[in-house]
Amino acid sequence: MRRFFRRMSYFTTLAVPIVTALIIAFLAVLNPQWPRIYCVIAFLAALILLPGVTLGLKLGCTPVTEEKVTLVGVDAPGIIGVRRANGEVVCYHHRELYSLFCNGTISEGSILSLRFLDNDIIGWQPADDEGTER
């Protein structure tokens, strides 16, 4: 089950509730003997609660990983390049690190500890300062 929710796309987390709400609306039209208030409540729950549940399951099953990397520079506005421990150079979109690099607060060769959720940077800190989390 964990693998299923980890592989589920973000589009699916929105498509499943919309399709469910449309099915509820279709069934409510076909069955006029059902109380309307139950159909309205089910329709709104499918549109309001179900996206939160599916998104929560996806994010809850996606592991957060931490990795120490070396900053190698910037490629384009908002894009930073980092070198992983195995020597691979990878580019990520992170405006805060980009602006800190442009301001001179961090420089080429700085060692950073980055936290990833899937392939997105969700947090970072300098590798030498363990107490200052950003």
Side-chain angles (χ1 to χ4, degrees), residues 13-42:
T13 62
L14 294 175
V16 167
I18 291 171
V19 169
T20 305
L22 289 175
I23 290 171
I24 291 169
F26 182 71
L27 289 174
V29 169
L30 289 181
N31 298 304
Q33 71 274 14
W34 290 356
R36 290 288 169 222
I37 190 70
Y38 294 150
C39 297
V40 170
I41 290 173

Side-chain angles (χ1 to χ4, degrees), residues 13-122:
T13 62
L14 294 175
V16 167
I18 291 171
V19 169
T20 305
L22 289 175
I23 290 171
I24 291 169
F26 182 71
L27 289 174
V29 169
L30 289 181
N31 298 304
Q33 71 274 14
W34 290 356
R36 290 288 169 222
I37 190 70
Y38 294 150
C39 297
V40 170
I41 290 173
F43 180 79
L44 291 176
L47 287 180
I48 296 171
L49 297 178
L50 199 54
V53 170
T54 55
L55 186 62
L57 286 170
K58 175 166 179 50
L59 293 177
C61 292
T62 305
V64 175
T65 57
E66 191 163 335
E67 186 176 353
K68 290 191 190 272
V69 297
T70 305
L71 185 67
V72 293
V74 295
D75 284 347
I79 307 292
I80 60 164
V82 296
R83 178 175 286 118
R84 292 183 166 167
N86 63 0
E88 178 186 13
V89 176
V90 184
C91 295
Y92 293 105
H93 183 268
H94 199 274
R95 290 198 181 270
E96 183 184 3
L97 287 173
Y98 176 79
S99 66
L100 289 174
F101 181 82
C102 291
N103 292 340
T105 307
I106 58 174
S107 60
E108 225 174 89
S110 298
I111 298 175
L112 304 171
S113 178
L114 300 179
R115 249 182 280 133
F116 295 97
L117 178 69
D118 211 8
N119 287 330
D120 299 322
I121 299 173
I122 59 169

